[in-house]
Amino acid sequence: MKLTVWTYEGPPHVGAMRVATGMTGLHYVLHAPQGDTYADLLFTMIERRNHRPPVTYTTFQARDLGSDTANLFKSACQDAYDRFQPQALIVGASCTAELIQDDPGGMAETMDLPIPVIPLDLPSYQRKENYGADETFFQIVRALAKKVDRSAQISCNLLGPTALGFRHRDDITELTSVLSDMGISVNVVAPMTASPSDIARMGAAHFNVLMYPETGEAAARWLERELDQPFTKTVPIGVGATRDFVTEVAAITGVAPYLDDSRLRLPWYSKSVDSTYLTGKRVFVFGDGTHVRAAARIARDEMGFEVVGLGCYNREMARDIRRLAKDFGFEALITDDYLEVERAIEALQPEMILGTQMERHIGKRLGIPCAVVSAPVHVQDFPARYSPQMGIEGANVIFDTWVHPLVMGLEEHLLHMFRDDFEFHDAAGPSHHGGHTPAPSADAGTAPLPSRDISEDPKSPGGADVIWLDAAERELKKIPFFVRGKARRNTEVFAAQRGVHEISVDTLYEAKAHYAR
């Protein structure tokens, strides 16, 4: 554990919150100090939920540590049961409360509550949020799922969606539709939307669909071993993966494979002249392992991009992502340090980033377009509209999400290219006014305002000692914005090493030739 401005994953008890908040009829009693009570902020603000998360805290303070914190926990458990009447309780400790070793599970067991009480042992100082969600769901399934008769119709359980997941709500709808077209019904979706009584009837399904390995694989493996339910290994994100998923489901169930791809819009654009603008774009991919693996395949095989780097922040997926990166011909970046990710992006200078909310911030700073493909995300990535990632409609959504930043990037580059044109300079006014552009006011003056170059870096080497001549500055602005910052820095280093204090057009091209060798 370390202190940082940004973290890709919270502590494991946040993962347990994601499971509890996604479910119904389940309550989470968390032994935690006052400072750890931030679940409301996470779920009601970011995910726009219309109800508070089902979490009760002991909220002990420093003065309580000298007395009996165990009784504080028992009182919180009893109050939670009396007030919410849940079908089951999960109990655990936050990272701070773990240090006082009160054993919430043991204490809850002595209370003889008339409902199942499931203790969570989540090592806060070794593991993180996705592990916490995976382990919590596994413990719930192990405690409540049991063998029952199989359903008359071929059915499956959908495993892995949680609260705060990236488009999980809409993925459930899309995947249910894909399976329904094959004549397969969904028995239980869990943990999201499920109640403890739903978990108890998971055994009625013939197989399981593992939607998100980060949060559902431990449960899927237990169900396969104990209830004889095989599970799918393909995550249906992207056209190719969706077709592979349908083939895999057909092999497990013996039903005929069927996929209605009449709604797919990707081939329509691929046949257009405009699509050639996308071919060969250099992209960097970073996020959780599941979405990175899917995005890399889509980028290379369906969009015609060149993947120049990829990685993930959840170390549980490191082996798969390293193997994937090897297939692409480079080494994967496995880290939870956003500064390390930023350095990698800055060095590679991709034309687009596919990442998380953090990479969106990095892209803004570096002037590189970014599409969000993975959690962690902020409120704008929980849209009101139907916006899945899985299935055919998910492929359409992904295509739009990825293309729009590139198109806007092209528009920005064109504006920079023509910034000195008589029609487009800053003092020209909106182009739709034509020849009737309002004259600037006397207070504002008549001189054009200087345009700000978003690629300028105040910390660029040599910036204090080197002067750019006007002609060189104009020539520099012809370079696409997404590599202009690197060109500026390289030129300044080149000039400083040679004792050149004024950068001319010739210096700019000499530096370009030098670094091209």
Side-chain angles (χ1 to χ4, degrees):
M1 175 177 281
K2 63 181 179 181
L3 293 175
T4 181
V5 174
W6 174 274
T7 178
Y8 288 99
E9 293 184 88
H13 71 264
V14 172
M17 286 182 193
R18 289 175 55 185
V19 170
T21 305
M23 292 182 66
T24 60
L26 180 77
H27 202 83
Y28 184 18
V29 179
L30 183 63
H31 200 27
Q34 196 166 20
D36 283 351
T37 56
Y38 46 76
D40 284 3
L41 179 68
L42 280 175
F43 296 97
T44 58
M45 185 190 78
I46 296 178
E47 201 174 15
R48 305 176 182 179
R49 299 186 74 86
N50 60 357
H51 59 277
R52 297 179 64 181
V55 181
T56 293
Y57 303 93
T58 56
T59 56
F60 60 83
Q61 301 178 48
R63 65 173 180 266
D64 298 317
L65 296 177
S67 57
D68 192 356
T69 53
N71 277 334
L72 205 63
F73 177 81
K74 288 183 178 180
S75 297
C77 276
Q78 189 64 54
D79 290 347
Y81 172 73
D82 293 342
R83 179 180 178 186
F84 298 106
Q85 294 291 302
Q87 296 176 26
L89 277 179
I90 54 175
V91 297
S94 73
C95 45
T96 311
E98 187 180 321
L99 298 173
I100 62 177
Q101 300 180 330
D102 269 341
D103 185 21
M107 290 187 291
E109 192 175 340
T110 64
M111 296 178 64
D112 294 325
L113 292 172
I115 57 171
V117 177
I118 303 164
L120 302 177
D121 183 14
L122 303 176
S124 299
Y125 297 93
Q126 291 83 38
R127 309 305 286 268
K128 294 197 174 183
E129 180 179 328
N130 278 312
Y131 169 83
D134 190 43
E135 178 68 12
T136 300
F137 182 40
F138 162 64
Q139 294 295 346
I140 292 170
V141 168
R142 189 174 72 165
L144 302 178
K146 57 191 74 171
K147 287 188 177 181
V148 295
D149 293 337
R150 297 282 197 245
S151 59
Q153 181 187 1
I154 294 177
S155 65
C156 67
N157 301 313
L158 304 185
L159 307 183
T162 69
L164 277 186
F166 185 61
R167 309 293 171 83
H168 288 193
R169 175 199 65 193
D170 296 340
D171 283 349
I172 292 168
T173 303
E174 184 68 17
L175 208 49
T176 300
S177 175
V178 169
L179 292 163
S180 177
D181 287 345
M182 295 180 67
I184 298 170
S185 64
V186 172
N187 179 49
V188 172
V189 179
M192 194 171 180
T193 75
S195 66
S197 57
D198 292 328
I199 301 295
R201 59 184 182 85
M202 288 179 73
H206 295 75
F207 70 104
N208 292 310
V209 172
L210 180 56
M211 296 176 66
Y212 312 103
E214 279 87 356
T215 52
E217 186 166 0
R221 293 191 180 280
W222 186 88
L223 290 165
E224 182 179 51
R225 184 173 63 252
E226 300 296 327
L227 301 187
D228 194 27
Q229 292 176 328
F231 66 92
T232 57
K233 310 302 189 295
T234 305
V235 178
I237 300 178
V239 181
T242 300
R243 287 175 176 152
D244 291 347
F245 170 78
V246 167
T247 301
E248 184 181 10
V249 169
I252 291 173
T253 61
V255 304
Y258 176 77
L259 179 64
D260 178 13
D261 58 4
S262 61
R263 293 176 293 133
L264 184 63
R265 296 291 181 265
L266 184 62
W268 160 77
Y269 189 86
S270 300
K271 295 173 183 176
S272 71
V273 175
D274 284 349
S275 68
T276 58
Y277 166 66
L278 301 176
T279 305
K281 290 293 181 186
R282 300 172 71 256
V283 298
F284 179 87
V285 190
F286 193 84
D288 70 56
T290 294
H291 287 88
V292 164
R293 188 164 51 191
R297 177 178 177 178
I298 295 167
R300 182 186 62 186
D301 299 342
E302 297 174 21
M303 304 289 279
F305 295 161
E306 178 190 357
V307 179
V308 296
L310 60 82
C312 71
Y313 58 76
N314 49 330
R315 295 185 180 276
E316 293 85 357
M317 300 286 283
R319 183 176 297 177
D320 284 347
I321 297 304
R322 286 196 176 102
R323 191 182 303 119
L324 176 65
K326 190 175 181 181
D327 292 341
F328 279 85
F330 48 74
E331 189 174 337
L333 177 63
I334 311 297
T335 183
D336 59 359
D337 185 345
Y338 66 95
L339 295 175
E340 192 175 346
V341 177
E342 182 168 3
R343 286 192 292 270
I345 294 171
E346 200 162 9
L348 289 168
Q349 287 292 316
E351 294 165 275
M352 185 181 188
I353 305 167
L354 304 173
T356 71
Q357 171 73 7
M358 189 63 242
E359 282 66 51
R360 188 188 346 239
H361 293 315
I362 292 170
K364 284 179 181 177
R365 199 187 79 76
L366 298 178
I368 301 173
C370 178
V372 173
V373 300
S374 162
V377 293
H378 201 37
V379 62
Q380 63 264 49
D381 290 300
F382 289 96
R385 68 186 182 279
Y386 183 58
S387 189
Q389 296 290 284
M390 292 187 176
I392 294 302
E393 191 57 32
N396 293 334
V397 170
I398 288 171
F399 176 77
D400 283 342
T401 306
W402 294 14
V403 168
H404 290 171
L406 283 173
V407 172
M408 293 307 294
L410 175 63
E411 180 179 296
E412 186 169 351
H413 174 47
L414 290 173
L415 289 173
H416 275 279
M417 278 180 65
F418 294 101
R419 67 196 303 168
D420 295 321
D421 187 274
F422 75 97
E423 257 190 304
F424 296 106
H425 66 80
D426 291 340
S431 59
H432 65 274
H433 288 159
H436 304 286
T437 300
S441 66
D443 293 339
T446 56
L449 295 172
S451 299
R452 177 178 173 269
D453 187 343
I454 63 170
S455 68
E456 288 173 356
D457 185 349
K459 295 182 286 187
S460 58
D465 304 321
V466 177
I467 297 172
W468 284 76
L469 299 179
D470 289 344
E473 279 279 11
R474 287 194 297 271
E475 196 69 17
L476 179 68
K477 287 169 182 175
K478 295 178 182 178
I479 297 172
F481 71 94
F482 40 79
V483 292
R484 192 180 305 134
K486 186 174 183 179
R488 177 184 287 274
R489 288 189 292 273
N490 285 349
T491 305
E492 290 177 354
V493 169
F494 177 84
Q497 289 173 346
R498 285 154 181 77
V500 176
H501 298 290
E502 292 186 345
I503 295 178
S504 64
V505 174
D506 289 341
T507 312
L508 178 61
Y509 281 99
E510 285 169 10
K512 179 183 177 184
H514 171 77
Y515 286 106
R517 293 187 190 124

